Amino acid sequence: MLSMLNDLRRSDRAVLVWGVAASALLTGLVWLLGQRLHGVALLPDQGASWYYWKLPDPTFWTRASAWVGYAAHQLVSWGLIYHAQTRIRRYTTGLHRVNVIALAANAAFIGLHAVQTQVFYDGLAQDVSIFSSQGSVVLLLVVVLLMENRRRGLVLTWSAPISAQVVGFARRYHGYLFSWAAIYTFWYHPMESSSGHLIGFFYVFLLLVQSSLMFTTSHTNRWWTLTLELLVAVHGTLVAVMNSGPNGMWPMFFFGFVAIFVLTQMHGVGLSTLARWWIGGTFVVAALAVYSWRGLGRIDEVVRIPLIEYLLVGVLAVLIWAGIRLARLGRS
């Protein structure tokens, strides 16, 4: 074990490889344990705003087990982030002690949620809207766009006029928000073994790995962070296909999130101009081909997700700016 930890301390690539492997293994365990849940009786599906995987007759203990587990997980994570921000002053290519503790804590809470699901089943979904879980991940992606605005631009390398103070605030405190988004989403769902759940849990496990790697070069590896941003396109597309079939809304999710990659994300990893032109051209050809079959009258689906995210970047920037101004006025 000590030899393994020493290897991890020497290489950020090794850290990420082990993180992905552990996430895949944990996802496999979710599938295995999920086979014991097939006998749980659930209510019929009632539409897009209905979360199917929750008990018809929840009790105090089914609710409390999820909320107490979530609260403990969240507070421990925030405490470790605060400790790292106040005690660690430099980035390393391997792991600090706090990273090892964070990874172990997340593993322990994953195990706790697995046991809680087997005994009580319900997650937070019993008490909060399905849109809150989806919105938490969208907010995470929007904050990344805001933080990276000056480095890679917002649209085709053009940087939105967002002040350095706003970006600095987002960079300083983003860890708390991202930790909340991942942990809230994780405890929102029971650890079911449907394909959609498994894809989602794998993505959340990767986000928990990222959250645990504060103040390491792994945490800021551009290809790694780009992969985390892009995986939402994979997750959203596959879940849409599973829920509504090949004639459903999957092109909106696929082309919408890939459009953000083409317009914004691919400009921050050092790709050549020729490579970016090829990627952009392939995207346009693929979108036209799919919507020639789907109906060109529906091609506006491609711009819905980018427009929402870019609009939210502006709204969030204004809200942060206003909050900073109010805090200054309160101190004066």
Side-chain angles (χ1 to χ4, degrees):
M1 178 60 73
L2 290 176
S3 175
M4 183 183 298
L5 289 178
N6 288 332
D7 289 341
L8 289 177
R9 292 180 191 277
R10 286 195 292 267
S11 170
D12 62 337
R13 183 176 298 177
V15 171
L16 297 178
V17 168
W18 279 101
V20 172
S23 298
L25 176 61
L26 288 170
T27 304
L29 291 175
V30 173
W31 172 83
L32 184 63
L33 291 172
Q35 308 311 305
R36 296 168 50 89
L37 302 174
H38 293 325
V40 177
L42 304 171
L43 294 173
D45 195 350
Q46 299 178 30
S49 62
W50 175 260
Y51 187 74
Y52 176 72
W53 292 273
K54 57 184 180 180
L55 296 176
D57 298 304
T59 67
F60 168 82
W61 292 111
T62 59
R63 284 188 158 104
S65 63
W67 282 104
V68 170
Y70 159 70
H73 193 174
Q74 190 67 83
L75 291 173
V76 168
S77 177
W78 281 343
L80 290 169
I81 292 171
Y82 178 78
H83 174 86
Q85 286 192 331
T86 55
R87 301 294 180 87
I88 298 174
R89 305 297 182 188
R90 63 186 180 88
Y91 279 77
T92 64
T93 55
L95 300 179
H96 300 283
R97 183 182 297 273
V98 70
N99 302 128
V100 177
I101 295 172
L103 289 165
N106 279 317
F109 280 109
I110 289 169
L112 177 63
H113 189 22
V115 173
Q116 182 266 337
T117 297
Q118 294 295 320
V119 177
F120 298 106
Y121 188 78
D122 262 344
L124 304 184
Q126 189 65 246
D127 299 308
V128 289
S129 167
I130 188 173
F131 299 116
S132 65
S133 175
Q134 297 169 351
S136 66
V137 177
V138 171
L139 182 59
L140 183 157
L141 297 170
V142 168
V143 172
V144 174
L145 291 177
L146 188 153
M147 289 195 306
E148 298 282 45
N149 172 59
R150 287 173 174 259
R151 185 180 68 86
R152 67 188 183 190
L154 192 61
V155 178
L156 297 176
T157 71
W158 172 80
S159 297
I162 300 172
S163 74
Q165 288 180 330
V166 169
V167 174
F169 180 91
R171 285 189 173 277
R172 179 168 179 78
Y173 295 107
H174 77 277
Y176 298 97
L177 174 66
F178 289 9
S179 169
W180 166 77
I183 293 172
Y184 177 79
T185 300
F186 173 61
W187 283 89
Y188 180 89
H189 305 275
M191 295 184 78
E192 273 279 4
S193 59
S194 73
S195 299
H197 280 88
L198 294 176
I199 296 166
F201 278 123
F202 178 67
Y203 186 32
V204 168
F205 294 153
L206 293 179
L207 292 177
L208 291 175
V209 169
Q210 170 70 348
S211 179
S212 301
L213 297 179
M214 55 274 197
F215 289 97
T216 69
T217 54
S218 303
H219 188 77
T220 56
N221 182 295
R222 299 305 180 193
W223 285 101
W224 164 249
T225 55
L226 175 63
T227 299
L228 293 178
E229 287 184 274
L230 268 177
L231 278 176
V232 72
V234 178
H235 176 254
T237 302
L238 291 178
V239 171
V241 171
M242 293 168 194
N243 289 340
S244 55
N247 295 318
M249 294 294 290
W250 69 267
M252 183 183 76
F253 293 98
F254 177 77
F255 288 108
F257 285 117
V258 175
I260 296 174
F261 168 72
V262 172
L263 293 171
T264 305
Q265 295 160 347
M266 74 173 179
H267 303 289
V269 288
L271 292 173
S272 68
T273 301
L274 179 61
R276 284 180 281 169
W277 272 106
W278 271 105
I279 293 170
T282 301
F283 169 79
V284 171
V285 170
L288 289 174
V290 169
Y291 279 94
S292 295
W293 156 70
R294 187 174 176 80
L296 289 175
R298 304 177 66 178
I299 201 168
D300 63 290
E301 293 174 351
V302 174
V303 301
R304 292 179 188 177
I305 289 175
L307 284 178
I308 290 171
E309 289 205 14
Y310 293 138
L311 177 61
L312 287 175
V313 169
V315 171
L316 182 62
V318 170
L319 289 175
I320 294 175
W321 174 84
I324 294 172
R325 295 285 294 178
L326 288 173
R328 286 182 174 177
L329 289 174
R331 290 194 298 265
S332 62

